[in-house]
């Protein structure tokens, strides 16, 4: 075997060998091997470099904040009369271009020669496609109060080549990369992908308005240097950029180096190098598509999870080397990794132990009590970066009550952030934990019971948290110790996730058994509870006092703050009678209020008879779950209700040409005044969607 270097590329020539690539064996005189590991653009890459470049691309535009549409526009768009296409900021264009450049660098192709700039035409095309999502749209979708001239400018003679919706400007780039083969519906296009990372593409321009992103390939003045490019890319590949359910794998060959003589002879073999499992993709088995210089093949199946892990090797045979006319083969390894710890990011949100809002019953929300609760807020806040990384950062003083804004505020120490997380938005200068004053009678049941409340040192006791929201699964108890002059020290003493002696009673209360109480346990206590999938916590209606006496002491229990629960004398856990939950609406005079579902969106996927509808909506705070109804009748006559926990739902087996009506509402599970279990529902939010033929 001999090795030669031609134009910076390593070619390995195997002479007189029996080859076995992709399960196909052939006796050949020579095969030219192209290995991406030998390409200069991949030879010295590290996870650190990939992560750093990823972060630079995501935050290339200083003023752009992903998910905050207020930062996208220099001039706002309008979907109502007077209609306006809007103008994106330079930083929005810069971010979209930077993300494109990152994908091009990953794939090993040349950078673009231009940065996206404002285009009246692309903005108009994006705006009108909020009324009909398609490249070619009809006049029937034009709003009656929009001028024909404005409509024609956006709808006719369009110049865009790629189209997406329901993505932010930055995320649209990743959405375009993640197409080609759906596990549910089969083959799709990779045209969007190669509008971004095509080897000859040199200029891509973007528009964005409403929920629509648009792109235009404007120039093709680049040339490929490597013999091929691939996505997912050879070498280190961030696993959050590849959607296993929808993203086909693909290779673009450099036709000055490699050519396809007979597409039916091409075999792509994909091997998981950890498990050694492999599969082949060919034209014959339907797992390979060949179009010009593009080889597109079905991605590996994940046994569990949604992100690839470990390493995969791709081997391709059945190609021809242009220079020698010999058989050519391609090989490369893709190693997936979680980029979070390698990617610079910035502070997006701050919470106190994961809780963003405390729900406090009105009689409990006195200034004195609110100040006491502030002492139990943590000495550290949990910082969540824009890329999902979390970190603990200490606060710089006591939490201060702000009753006007209904929150407690503090400042966190930005110098304690990890080196790759910055506070570019100055979020840590004013950390806020909010509270909401509730008037719901059901929140008046949220109680903490201490038994006994006067105890000898060394004796045992117990504390019980009563949960009116029965779907809640987590509770905690906090201790307040007076230091004089209205000053307290506060800390979390018990937590259902970690405390020994914790159990759940038959009626759902959280019980904490304490085998031996010490003098340090004396003080005032309050409790919170919450659902671990939510960020709202419910505060007990009393701040109870525990007295721990020496052996020589005796005395009565101190008077407590008046309980606002209907049963003011209860010492032990309430005896709740569990009943089946009714699926009917409760009397509005007694049921708690549940917010209406907002931002209901529906996206039809698939082709032919395999179409489905994916519904999503904004999560309703405090909701226990949701109900969905689907019908082809506007009256919903005979339609069944589907109860789910998550804020998304898929409707399968849609009929082409049919119009579907859907509506969604949130519900909250609660205990009523007579201590029966029931549900309270919000109003329905509806939407109609026509499935194309």
């Amino acid at each position: 075997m001999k090795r030669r270097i031609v134009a910076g590329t390593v070619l390995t020539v195997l002479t007189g060998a029996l080859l076995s690539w992709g399960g196909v064996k052939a006796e050949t005189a020579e095969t030219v091997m192209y290995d991406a590991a030998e390409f200069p653009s991949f030879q010295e890459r590290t996870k650190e470099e990939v992560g750093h470049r990823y972060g630079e691309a995501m935050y290339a535009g200083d003023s752009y904040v992903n998910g905050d549409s207020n930062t996208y526009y220099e001039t706002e768009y309008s979907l109502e009369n007077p209609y306006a296409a809007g103008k994106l900021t330079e930083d929005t264009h810069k971010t979209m271009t930077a993300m494109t450049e990152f994908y091009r660098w990953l794939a090993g192709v040349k950078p673009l020669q231009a940065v996206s700039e404002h285009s009246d035409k692309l903005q108009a095309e994006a705006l009108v496609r909020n009324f009909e999502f398609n490249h070619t749209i009809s006049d029937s979708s034009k709003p009656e109060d929009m001028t024909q001239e404005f409509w024609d400018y956006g709808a006719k003679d369009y110049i865009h080549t790629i189209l997406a919706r329901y993505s932010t400007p930055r995320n649209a780039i990743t959405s375009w990369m993640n197409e080609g083969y759906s596990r549910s519906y089969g083959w799709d296009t990779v045209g969007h992908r190669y509008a971004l990372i095509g080897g000859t593409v040199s200029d891509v321009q973007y528009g964005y308005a409403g929920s629509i992103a648009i792109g235009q390939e404007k120039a093709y003045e680049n040339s490929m240097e490597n013999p091929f490019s691939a996505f997912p890319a050879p070498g280190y590949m961030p696993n959050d950029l590849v959607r296993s359910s929808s993203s086909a794998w693909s290779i673009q060959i450099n036709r000055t180096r490699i050519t396809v003589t007979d597409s039916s002879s091409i075999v792509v073999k994909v091997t998981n190098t950890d498990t050694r499992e492999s599969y082949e993709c060919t034209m014959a088995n339907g797992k390979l598509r060949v179009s010009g210089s593009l080889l597109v093949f079905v991605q590996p199946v994940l046994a569990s999870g949604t992100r690839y892990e470990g390493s995969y090797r791709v081997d391709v045979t059945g190609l021809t080397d242009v220079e020698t006319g010999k058989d050519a083969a391609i090989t490369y390894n893709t190693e997936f990794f979680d980029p979070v710890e390698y990617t610079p990011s910035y502070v997006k949100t701050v919470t106190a132990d994961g809780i963003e809002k405390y729900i406090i019953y009105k009689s409990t929300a006195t200034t004195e009590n609110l100040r006491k609760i502030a002492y139990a807020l943590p000495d550290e806040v949990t910082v969540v970066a824009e890329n999902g990384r979390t970190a603990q950062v200490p606060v710089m003083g006591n939490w201060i009550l702000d009753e006007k804004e209904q929150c407690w505020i503090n400042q966190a120490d930005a110098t304690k952030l990890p080196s790759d997380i910055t506070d570019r938005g100055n979020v840590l200068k004013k950390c806020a934990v909010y509270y909401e004053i509730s008037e719901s009678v059901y929140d008046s049941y949220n109680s903490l019971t201490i038994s006994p409340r006067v105890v000898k040192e060394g004796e045992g006791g117990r504390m019980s948290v009563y949960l009116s929201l029965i779907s809640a699964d987590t509770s905690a108890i906090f201790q307040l110790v007076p230091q004089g002059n209205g000053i307290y020290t506060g800390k979390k003493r018990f937590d259902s996730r970690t405390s020994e002696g914790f159990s759940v009673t038959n009626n759902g209360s959280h019980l904490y058994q304490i085998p031996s109480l010490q003098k340090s346990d004396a003080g005032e206590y309050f409790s919170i509870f919450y659902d671990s999938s939510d960020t709202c916590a419910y505060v007990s209606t009393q701040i109870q006092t525990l007295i721990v006496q020496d052996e020589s002491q005796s005395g009565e229990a101190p008077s407590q703050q008046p309980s606002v629960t209907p049963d003011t004398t209860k010492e032990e856990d309430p005896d709740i009678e569990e009943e089946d939950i009714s699926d009917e609406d409760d009397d509005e005079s007694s049921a708690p209020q549940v917010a209406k579902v907002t931002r209901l969106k529906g996206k039809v996927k698939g082709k032919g008879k395999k179409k489905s509808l994916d519904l999503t909506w904004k999560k309703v705070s405090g909701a226990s779950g949701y109900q969905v109804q689907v019908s082809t009748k506007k009256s919903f006559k005979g339609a069944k209700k589907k109860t789910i926990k998550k804020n998304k739902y898929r409707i399968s087996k849609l009929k082409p040409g049919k119009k579907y009506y859907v509506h969604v509402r949130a519900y909250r599970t609660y205990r009523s005044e007579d201590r029966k279990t029931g549900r309270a529902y919000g109003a329905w939010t509806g939407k109609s969607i026509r499935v194309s033929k």
Side-chain angles (χ1 to χ4, degrees):
M1 183 175 69
K2 54 185 179 180
R3 179 170 290 178
R4 58 192 176 117
I5 298 179
V6 178
T9 302
V10 174
L11 291 80
T12 302
V13 182
L14 303 176
T15 305
L18 180 65
L19 299 183
S20 177
W21 294 98
V24 177
K25 294 184 178 181
E27 187 84 19
T28 63
E30 291 182 330
T31 296
V32 180
M33 176 65 67
Y34 290 95
D35 186 348
E38 303 292 348
F39 299 172
S41 51
F42 297 107
Q43 280 183 324
E44 297 182 1
R45 283 192 184 177
T46 63
K47 291 180 182 178
E48 289 77 10
E49 181 185 15
V50 174
H52 182 74
R53 283 180 177 258
Y54 184 17
E56 283 185 333
M58 285 196 292
Y59 313 122
D62 291 337
S63 64
Y64 176 89
V65 178
N66 200 50
D68 183 358
S69 60
N70 294 322
T71 67
Y72 303 165
Y73 299 96
E74 180 179 318
T75 304
E76 285 292 326
Y77 73 95
S78 174
L79 291 172
E80 299 177 349
N81 195 9
Y83 296 95
K87 182 178 181 180
L88 299 176
T89 66
E90 288 186 10
D91 277 349
T92 302
H93 284 288
K94 187 176 180 181
T95 298
M96 297 181 81
T97 302
M99 282 301 295
T100 305
E101 292 283 37
F102 172 67
Y103 280 109
R104 293 181 68 83
W105 174 82
L106 266 183
V109 296
K110 290 182 178 179
L112 299 172
Q113 299 178 20
V115 175
S116 178
E117 296 178 340
H118 172 71
S119 164
D120 287 338
K121 178 65 171 163
L122 286 177
Q123 284 300 116
E125 291 182 16
L127 184 82
V128 300
R129 278 160 184 81
N130 283 274
F131 301 101
E132 182 181 342
F133 182 70
N134 215 328
H135 288 288
T136 302
I137 55 179
S138 63
D139 283 352
S140 63
S141 299
K142 182 182 80 67
E144 292 183 359
D145 56 354
M146 179 184 287
T147 67
Q148 190 67 44
E149 180 183 12
F150 189 100
W151 176 261
D152 288 347
Y153 186 54
K156 312 298 183 184
D157 301 321
Y158 63 84
I159 62 174
H160 72 269
T161 51
I162 50 179
L163 181 64
R165 64 176 170 177
Y166 303 144
S167 292
T168 66
R170 190 187 79 188
N171 290 357
I173 308 300
T174 295
S175 293
W176 282 323
M177 293 295 296
N178 279 273
E179 297 178 345
Y181 188 83
S182 166
R183 286 290 174 194
S184 301
Y185 316 118
W187 288 105
D188 200 353
T189 178
V190 291
H192 295 158
R193 179 183 301 177
Y194 284 96
L196 303 177
I197 65 168
T200 61
V201 175
S202 59
D203 184 2
V204 186
Q205 298 294 303
Y206 297 109
Y208 186 92
S211 64
I212 304 297
I214 271 175
Q216 176 199 15
E217 302 158 87
K218 199 170 183 179
Y220 303 87
E221 298 177 359
N222 275 327
S223 60
M224 289 187 72
E225 291 182 344
N226 290 333
F228 68 89
S229 66
F231 184 84
Y236 293 111
M237 181 72 205
N239 65 358
D240 64 336
L241 297 181
V242 184
R243 298 170 190 163
S244 61
S245 62
S246 63
S247 184
W249 290 20
S250 61
I251 296 171
Q252 183 177 32
I253 60 176
N254 181 347
R255 288 195 284 188
T256 67
R257 312 292 292 278
I258 306 171
T259 189
V260 175
T261 304
D262 179 9
S263 59
S264 65
S265 67
I266 297 176
V267 179
V268 179
K269 182 177 180 180
V270 182
T271 303
N272 183 321
T273 60
D274 296 325
T275 65
R276 311 308 300 173
E277 295 176 342
S278 65
Y279 64 96
E280 295 176 357
C281 302
T282 65
M283 297 285 286
N285 67 18
K287 294 183 179 181
L288 172 68
R289 285 192 169 185
V290 181
S291 176
S293 63
L294 293 180
L295 312 180
V296 186
F297 46 101
V298 173
Q299 66 270 27
V301 176
L302 286 183
S304 62
T306 58
R307 293 188 181 184
Y308 291 110
E309 295 179 353
S311 178
Y312 289 81
R313 189 180 75 246
V314 177
D315 298 308
V316 186
T317 58
L319 304 170
T320 301
D321 180 59
V322 172
E323 180 183 358
T324 66
K326 305 295 184 180
D327 290 342
I330 284 173
T331 187
Y332 63 92
N333 273 59
T334 295
E335 184 172 336
F336 292 99
F337 74 103
D338 186 345
V340 168
E341 63 179 292
Y342 302 99
T343 306
S345 188
Y346 63 88
V347 176
K348 187 175 183 180
T349 60
V350 173
T351 64
D353 200 21
I355 297 171
E356 296 177 2
K357 183 186 289 186
Y358 287 78
I359 309 300
I360 303 173
Y361 187 64
K362 59 183 180 181
S363 64
T364 313
T366 65
T367 299
E368 180 184 3
N369 284 348
L370 292 171
R371 285 175 176 165
K372 286 182 177 181
I373 293 170
Y375 285 107
L377 295 178
D379 295 330
E380 290 183 327
V381 292
T382 301
V383 168
V384 181
E386 200 273 340
N387 69 350
R389 186 177 179 186
T390 61
Q392 299 297 120
V393 180
V395 294
M396 300 177 69
N398 293 325
W399 290 89
I400 305 300
L401 174 65
D402 183 342
E403 290 187 272
K404 182 178 180 181
E405 297 295 328
Q406 291 197 346
C407 66
W408 301 277
I409 58 174
N410 211 327
Q411 180 175 350
D413 189 352
T415 65
K416 303 300 183 182
L417 285 169
S419 60
D420 53 0
I421 299 180
T422 60
D423 187 25
R424 75 174 190 176
N426 294 319
V427 176
L428 298 185
K429 286 190 174 180
K430 186 180 179 181
C431 303
V433 176
Y434 291 88
Y435 62 87
E436 177 184 312
I437 299 176
S438 170
E439 296 186 0
S440 169
V441 66
Y442 303 100
D443 289 329
S444 72
Y445 288 98
N446 304 331
S447 60
L448 170 68
T449 303
I450 300 176
S451 180
R453 287 181 289 185
V454 179
V455 64
K456 299 290 185 181
E457 187 173 12
E459 292 180 347
R462 69 179 193 168
M463 298 185 184
S464 176
V465 181
Y466 178 69
L467 291 64
S468 62
L469 181 64
I470 62 175
S471 63
D473 55 20
T474 308
S475 66
I477 298 175
F478 297 84
Q479 179 187 21
L480 298 167
V481 179
Q483 303 297 307
N485 297 322
I487 304 298
Y488 292 80
T489 57
K491 60 182 178 179
K492 184 190 293 187
R493 290 300 308 275
F494 305 102
D495 190 311
S496 61
R497 297 165 295 187
T498 58
S499 295
E500 295 183 4
F502 168 77
S503 62
V504 180
T505 67
N506 290 335
N507 61 43
S509 294
H510 283 195
L511 181 63
Y512 295 83
Q513 297 281 5
I514 310 162
S516 177
L517 289 162
Q518 306 301 314
K519 294 287 285 185
S520 59
D521 293 318
E524 297 179 68
Y525 287 83
F526 72 93
S527 64
I528 65 167
F529 66 81
Y530 54 94
D531 189 313
S532 57
S533 65
D534 201 357
T535 56
C536 291
Y538 296 81
V539 182
S540 59
T541 54
Q542 309 96 351
I543 295 180
Q544 302 278 21
T545 300
L546 171 66
I547 295 177
V548 181
Q549 298 177 333
D550 293 331
E551 287 290 336
S552 59
Q553 290 180 300
S554 63
E556 298 290 330
S559 61
Q560 304 295 312
Q561 294 186 28
S563 171
V564 296
T565 62
D567 180 7
T568 59
T569 61
K570 64 178 182 287
E571 293 282 344
E572 305 300 324
D573 297 331
D575 184 15
I576 300 298
E577 187 177 318
E578 298 286 354
E579 292 193 356
D580 290 338
I581 297 172
S582 170
D583 196 38
E584 300 299 323
D585 293 349
D586 289 289
D587 183 355
E588 291 184 2
S589 64
S590 62
Q593 295 296 309
V594 181
K596 185 178 180 180
V597 165
T598 60
R599 300 184 189 177
L600 174 60
K601 298 177 181 179
K603 184 176 183 180
V604 177
K605 296 183 177 180
K607 296 178 180 179
K609 296 181 179 180
K610 294 184 178 181
K611 292 188 177 184
S612 66
L613 173 62
D614 284 352
L615 296 175
T616 60
W617 55 90
K618 185 179 179 182
K619 187 176 181 181
V620 175
S621 179
S624 305
Y626 304 90
Q627 279 193 337
V628 180
Q629 267 190 312
V630 185
S631 180
T632 55
K633 300 176 183 178
K634 195 172 184 179
S635 65
F636 289 90
K637 185 176 181 180
K640 294 182 179 180
K641 298 172 185 175
K642 177 70 174 180
T643 301
I644 58 176
K645 290 292 185 181
K646 296 183 178 180
N647 58 325
K648 60 182 180 180
Y649 184 64
R650 170 169 288 180
I651 305 162
S652 302
K653 299 180 181 179
L654 301 182
K655 296 180 180 179
K658 277 282 188 181
K659 190 173 186 178
Y660 285 83
Y661 298 91
V662 298
H663 61 193
V664 182
R665 65 179 178 178
Y667 71 84
R668 176 176 169 181
T669 308
Y670 68 96
R671 289 192 176 106
S672 61
E673 290 186 57
D674 59 0
R675 300 190 179 181
K676 304 297 183 184
T677 303
R679 279 182 183 163
Y681 293 91
W684 290 106
T685 296
K687 191 176 187 69
S688 63
I689 297 166
R690 182 173 294 280
V691 180
S692 61
K693 292 183 179 179

